[in-house]
Amino acid sequence: MLSFKNRLSFAKGGTPMPSEPLLAPWGGPYGGVPPFDKIKVADFKPALLKGMELGRLDIKKIAESTDAATFDNTIVAFEDSTRPFNRAGTLFGTFTSTMNSKPMQAVEKEMAPKLAAFSDEVTQNDALFARIKQVYDNRTAAKFSPEALRLTEVTYQRFARRGAALGKAEKARLKEINGKLAELFTTFSQNVLADEESQTITLDKEADLAGLPESVRASMAAAAEAKQLKGKWLITNTRSSAEPFLTYASRRDLREKVWRMWISRGDTAGPHDNKPVMTQILALRGERAKLLGFKSHAHWIIDDNMAKTPDAAMGLMMKVWKAAVARVREEVADMQKLADADKAGHKIEAWDYRYYAEKVRKSKYDLDEDQIKAYLQLDKLRDAMMWASGQLYGFVFKPIKNVPVYHKDVTVYEVLRDGKHLGLWYFDPYARDGKRSGAWMSEYRTQENFTKTPAAPIVSNNSNFVKAKPGSPILISWDDASTMFHEFGHALHGLNSNVHYPSLAGTNTKRDFVEFPSQLNEHWLSTPEVLSKFCVHYQTNKPIPPELVAKIQKAKNFNQGFKTVEYLAAAIYDLKIHLAPTDKPIDPAKFEQVTMKEIGCPTEIVMRHRPPQFLHIFSDDEYSAGYYAYIWADTLTADAAEAFVEAKSFYDKPTAKRLYESIMSVGNSIPPDVAFRKFRGRDVDTDALMRDRGFPISGRKG
Ligand SMILES: [Zn+2]
């Protein structure tokens, strides 16, 4: 996923430059870098408040101008406004996601509604909107450049969609709703974080480790040691800790215990129960959608995306759903056969799925996850991503030490092309307390080139790998390696950006388009070039043998039923719950049960993110009614990947150049469907997705 919290999106210059470190223009090399060495948690609140004050002056200047509204004095001026506030907001977002200590959480809780209110104050500024609307209404006659026209439309829509044209009373209520939502979003994510940090399972006997490979035992021992439990083994409540245990542990009782802990985050009665929080979020979102003139929250969100309507999004999902469920039935039957042969004496349950799937993989494909893992070293994969981006986009990554970081685990690279500075990439790979779970990309500075001083992008990738014993390499799973390439794809989208205006730059695109460059980048992991150069055995340094690569290719669609169903179950839930009427309070637990039954979700699988821990859709608005975006973008991805297959290499220069020119460099400066057509020469072929996942294409059987 991609984090948008860092981009609070309203800011601009023209006012006196503040001297406080959080607000001041960034100093240091590379046109300035984030001043992570000068940040004090106690400074955030005063800096954000001061930033708002300065921002108000910027906005006032634009809104109260007596000159006729023009593109330059309105749209461009707005694009260049509230910069000190934006800088503080970016640093604030970085800390709430990666360094969220208890004092920081208190600041977050207090500031979230204030930030929402400031955003509404800008959107609801009548004089400002009137001027934006004048430029917008005049846009055809004005003969703008295509990018200026696009920026005018995007800016106008941003205001209109958020209620800029509403009456006074409606606007006041909207502001109230957004403030309350901001508070609830913070509570939701802090509840999940609390359960992730406070719940662990400690194992103290060797016998409890039955089935676990050495690498998993070592990570668990290291996790225990970090918590002063030397000599024991710790399972933390994170995906990178729980999933390997569920895959290998032969102790079924412990698998169930770990599974229940992992899927119950935010779901336990008590102070961190997210269910009542969700009920309130849903009601407020429903009310807001009505105020804005939409039938439901889903209608409002999707109207501004490629899919345009909830029906289009649901239609695509249901097309894939049927094939995926049918595949799950086959997978479960295969697993049950193995369990019966073992005289396991039980039916496959959700906590057995990963374990028996792994056994099926061994027996059917003679392939074992741990065998692959021995060739997947975190450091080498990082180098592989950089190398592949060099082949595609001419990037060179140079490690640097002359910039401050917020934690000693963060490393920084300068990105160059043809010897020229292009941007910076910050890499923060390890789990720690106060860091949000999962993996994401964020942007510290967005590329722009419309003032006297162009700005180069600064982006970061964040994940939650468990550190290995000192001196040993960190071995990761194939899925985690794909995720690394995915997040790096977002980083490449930011780094490749070459537009004028930051609102249109890099990853600032439609939600159901933005996952396309990142998903596409996953494909380079399995290219023969990356496998042979970078996937080397951690002990012998020998490259992954061709037989093993052949087995990986053959097993490519193995467990695709599970992966697709666990994702789609979550995406369908997200869409359905945001279509549901909100005149009566929604019981999210009941809704989950009913929905899963209604769509016939196999009982052996729970959604990838169960509702009480579904940060994508309840920790802010960004991915709400938008989790479908991954499969929507995946149709673009599968089709675009076929372009490289047709060119006979994923390193084909003309195809890479076309990708750069039509997709990677243009951000949202051209509409996404137009960009795709430019790359592929035609509209997207959704059957490519079915082919990619190995599902039959209906209507063309035989
Ligand atoms: Zn993503």
Side-chain angles (χ1 to χ4, degrees):
M1 87 188 267
L2 165 91
S3 169
F4 273 77
K5 278 201 168 160
N6 290 349
R7 199 172 151 70
L8 291 159
S9 65
F10 294 110
K12 179 121 183 145
T15 37
M17 281 303 175
S19 57
E20 294 92 328
L22 292 171
L23 295 166
W26 295 347
Y30 314 111
V33 291
F36 288 126
D37 52 343
K38 296 193 186 109
I39 293 178
K40 289 195 220 80
V41 169
D43 289 345
F44 274 116
K45 182 182 163 186
L48 287 167
L49 293 174
K50 178 82 190 289
M52 288 180 204
E53 228 176 85
L54 295 169
R56 279 184 193 109
L57 297 177
D58 285 348
I59 299 296
K60 193 171 161 68
K61 207 171 140 194
I62 305 168
E64 293 177 6
S65 164
T66 48
D67 299 334
T70 64
F71 176 70
D72 283 335
N73 73 16
T74 306
I75 307 288
V76 174
F78 180 65
E79 192 74 358
D80 193 32
S81 69
T82 63
R83 294 216 190 240
F85 172 73
N86 285 359
R87 283 189 287 267
T90 296
L91 299 169
F92 177 72
T94 308
F95 267 59
T96 55
S97 54
T98 64
M99 301 288 283
N100 213 357
S101 60
K102 287 283 171 307
M104 189 65 215
Q105 288 181 31
V107 181
E108 184 187 19
K109 202 142 201 172
E110 187 185 350
M111 291 312 293
K114 293 193 169 67
L115 296 173
F118 180 59
S119 174
D120 276 331
E121 183 186 322
V122 176
T123 314
Q124 299 189 355
N125 184 316
D126 288 331
L128 176 64
F129 182 60
R131 291 180 68 84
I132 290 171
K133 190 167 181 306
Q134 268 176 49
V135 181
Y136 175 80
D137 289 344
N138 234 344
R139 68 195 184 285
T140 330
K143 296 210 170 51
F144 292 152
S145 73
E147 195 182 330
L149 178 63
R150 182 84 179 149
L151 181 67
T152 304
E153 288 171 349
V154 166
T155 307
Y156 172 80
Q157 286 299 344
R158 188 205 274 177
F159 276 74
R161 277 181 50 74
R162 297 177 57 198
L166 293 179
K168 217 172 173 158
E170 285 92 352
K171 276 183 176 170
R173 179 59 190 151
L174 194 61
K175 206 167 165 184
E176 239 169 57
I177 293 174
N178 285 332
K180 186 74 193 137
L181 277 172
E183 235 172 82
L184 291 163
F185 294 154
T186 309
T187 305
F188 186 92
S189 42
Q190 292 188 357
N191 282 346
V192 176
L193 190 61
D195 280 359
E196 287 177 352
E197 282 181 4
S198 64
Q199 299 169 353
T200 53
I201 293 173
T202 311
L203 304 179
D204 42 23
K205 292 188 299 291
E206 191 87 34
D208 295 340
L209 310 181
L212 299 179
E214 196 40 54
S215 58
V216 176
R217 292 173 186 224
S219 299
M220 287 166 61
E225 217 174 314
K227 294 270 178 195
Q228 277 74 50
L229 292 163
K230 201 168 159 50
K232 298 187 180 187
W233 296 270
L234 193 74
I235 302 149
T236 60
N237 206 0
T238 62
R239 188 177 292 280
S240 44
S241 183
E243 280 191 347
F245 191 87
L246 293 170
T247 307
Y248 299 112
S250 47
R251 282 280 300 272
R252 187 167 194 248
D253 58 331
L254 291 176
R255 282 204 309 267
E256 182 174 352
K257 201 171 159 191
V258 169
W259 181 82
R260 290 202 184 281
M261 172 177 81
W262 168 240
I263 65 138
S264 304
R265 290 167 298 139
D267 198 15
T268 315
H272 302 308
D273 186 357
N274 264 336
K275 293 188 291 295
V277 183
M278 293 154 70
T279 301
Q280 294 178 68
I281 290 176
L282 292 164
L284 290 167
R285 279 179 172 161
E287 187 190 342
R288 181 177 59 185
K290 296 250 158 61
L291 267 177
L292 294 169
F294 288 85
K295 215 170 128 191
S296 71
H297 179 68
H299 285 85
W300 177 59
I301 289 283
I302 300 178
D303 181 62
D304 189 38
N305 273 294
M306 267 186 101
K308 298 269 191 286
T309 65
D311 279 355
M314 192 65 92
L316 173 68
M317 290 199 284
M318 292 319 287
K319 172 178 166 174
V320 186
W321 174 255
K322 284 185 207 103
V325 170
R327 181 60 51 83
V328 165
R329 305 269 176 244
E330 295 167 18
E331 288 171 8
V332 172
D334 280 348
M335 294 191 287
Q336 193 67 55
K337 249 185 258 163
L338 278 186
D340 293 349
D342 276 359
K343 304 213 179 346
H346 62 76
K347 154 178 176 314
I348 301 292
E349 300 282 359
W351 49 92
D352 301 317
Y353 211 112
R354 289 177 179 83
Y355 178 73
Y356 280 101
E358 192 50 32
K359 286 193 177 305
V360 172
R361 169 152 47 192
K362 257 186 225 169
S363 79
K364 237 185 164 164
Y365 300 96
D366 187 25
L367 191 63
D368 143 9
E369 175 79 33
D370 209 45
Q371 198 186 345
I372 309 173
K373 239 179 150 171
Y375 295 93
L376 299 177
Q377 304 172 54
L378 177 63
D379 289 359
K380 301 261 183 215
L381 287 161
R382 178 202 56 210
D383 295 349
M385 306 190 303
M386 293 173 173
W387 176 83
S389 76
Q391 299 300 305
L392 292 168
Y393 310 114
F395 286 0
V396 173
F397 285 77
K398 194 176 96 189
I400 54 170
K401 295 239 181 269
N402 56 338
V403 303
V405 291
Y406 53 80
H407 190 279
K408 63 179 170 34
D409 285 347
V410 180
T411 49
V412 189
Y413 293 78
E414 183 186 12
V415 188
L416 300 134
R417 178 160 47 206
D418 300 325
K420 259 181 59 198
H421 177 80
L422 207 74
L424 296 175
W425 182 65
Y426 287 55
F427 188 43
D428 179 11
Y430 308 122
R432 65 175 164 269
D433 281 352
K435 189 173 178 180
R436 196 173 97 194
S437 60
W440 68 96
M441 167 265 193
S442 51
E443 198 160 50
Y444 300 151
R445 185 169 64 208
T446 305
Q447 182 266 331
E448 64 167 62
N449 188 7
F450 75 104
T451 64
K452 268 179 256 146
T453 38
I458 305 181
V459 301
S460 82
N461 278 161
N462 310 270
S463 42
N464 275 280
F465 293 108
V466 181
K467 282 188 188 172
K469 266 192 300 202
S472 329
I474 296 170
L475 301 178
I476 68 175
S477 68
W478 184 263
D479 276 357
D480 280 344
S482 293
T483 302
M484 272 181 78
F485 272 72
H486 175 103
E487 299 307 335
F488 194 65
H490 287 308
L492 294 174
H493 199 186
L495 289 165
N496 267 312
S497 182
N498 185 22
V499 300
H500 291 96
Y501 305 107
S503 289
L504 303 177
T507 54
N508 290 328
T509 64
K510 304 284 174 196
R511 170 71 56 249
D512 51 8
F513 183 78
V514 78
E515 296 301 331
F516 162 39
S518 53
Q519 287 174 342
L520 186 61
N521 202 58
E522 294 173 33
H523 281 266
W524 275 269
L525 168 61
S526 56
T527 57
E529 292 83 348
V530 161
L531 292 171
S532 62
K533 283 190 184 55
F534 299 95
C535 298
V536 297
H537 195 278
Y538 76 107
Q539 285 163 325
T540 63
N541 219 25
K542 289 220 174 87
I544 189 165
E547 311 83 71
L548 187 54
V549 174
K551 282 184 201 170
I552 294 173
Q553 308 289 15
K554 202 175 145 209
K556 176 178 167 267
N557 285 321
F558 170 73
N559 222 24
Q560 197 55 256
F562 174 83
K563 285 182 198 153
T564 307
V565 163
E566 76 157 1
Y567 159 74
L568 277 180
I572 293 170
Y573 173 91
D574 166 40
L575 192 48
K576 282 191 183 271
I577 203 154
H578 286 116
L579 282 166
T582 52
D583 38 358
K584 270 185 253 136
I586 294 179
D587 174 345
K590 198 170 156 212
F591 198 91
E592 180 184 3
Q593 276 171 5
V594 171
T595 305
M596 292 305 111
K597 217 173 150 189
E598 190 183 285
I599 62 173
C601 185
T603 52
E604 297 86 355
I605 298 180
V606 293
M607 46 180 95
R608 184 168 173 82
H609 309 279
R610 283 202 50 246
Q613 63 229 205
F614 206 164
L615 293 166
H616 287 79
I617 69 169
F618 292 118
S619 75
D620 54 37
D621 278 326
E622 296 298 346
Y623 279 79
S624 62
Y627 198 58
Y628 81 89
Y630 290 91
I631 198 140
W632 189 273
D634 212 12
T635 61
L636 308 173
T637 306
D639 196 1
E642 287 187 356
F644 283 95
V645 174
E646 287 156 19
K648 303 212 164 34
S649 165
F650 273 83
Y651 299 90
D652 178 66
K653 296 281 180 218
T655 314
K657 186 165 178 267
R658 215 164 61 240
L659 184 68
Y660 169 79
E661 283 169 356
S662 43
I663 309 286
M664 298 304 285
S665 64
V666 301
N668 191 28
S669 66
I670 51 178
D673 48 338
V674 176
F676 187 84
R677 222 171 287 134
K678 236 176 111 188
F679 173 67
R680 204 62 175 104
R682 53 161 173 74
D683 284 332
V684 63
D685 168 17
T686 56
D687 286 351
L689 176 74
M690 303 298 271
R691 284 192 288 276
D692 183 56
R693 297 190 182 212
F695 294 154
I697 294 160
S698 51
R700 278 198 222 160
K701 275 182 205 140

